[in-house]
Amino acid sequence: MSGQILEGAVKTEQGVEVRGVVMQPAIDKCEGCERLRTFEEQNFCSSYPSPARKWADGRCNFATHIKTESGGKAKVNPLKASKRAAKGR
């Protein structure tokens, strides 16, 4: 849970409004993200107004608590590798 407070937020009938944008509460997949802000004991994403829509396609691209796996080693062209070795690189 984040200790930072959502600044400039106002509670309205539609939800919580920040700078003219209506924010939706964060979902459970957002727990642990550094972008969460608190307002009236609810968490909100500081980067996107509707966090559930960001997670609909699998993974939120703003998530700071999820690490991506790299593809492993890059494919090495043996001809270029032998030329580099001959040059002394």
Side-chain angles (χ1 to χ4, degrees):
M1 189 187 264
S2 172
Q4 296 180 341
I5 298 172
L6 194 62
E7 295 180 12
V10 177
K11 185 112 176 161
T12 64
E13 291 178 7
Q14 293 84 19
V16 174
E17 186 174 327
V18 180
R19 296 185 202 122
V21 177
V22 177
M23 308 289 282
Q24 300 298 319
I27 60 174
D28 58 343
K29 293 181 183 178
C30 297
E31 288 299 320
C33 185
E34 293 175 6
R35 298 178 192 270
L36 285 182
R37 302 294 181 259
T38 305
F39 181 74
E40 293 186 2
E41 298 187 20
Q42 277 191 318
N43 289 328
F44 296 90
C45 180
S46 64
S47 298
Y48 198 72
S50 180
R53 293 197 54 192
K54 275 303 216 189
W55 286 97
D57 293 330
R59 178 178 112 68
C60 175
N61 61 324
F62 292 132
T64 59
H65 61 294
I66 295 184
K67 305 295 180 204
T68 59
E69 293 181 21
S70 61
K73 291 186 176 182
K75 188 175 178 183
V76 177
N77 185 335
L79 181 60
K80 288 185 177 183
S82 67
K83 287 182 179 181
R84 284 189 196 113
K87 279 186 166 180
R89 281 196 204 172

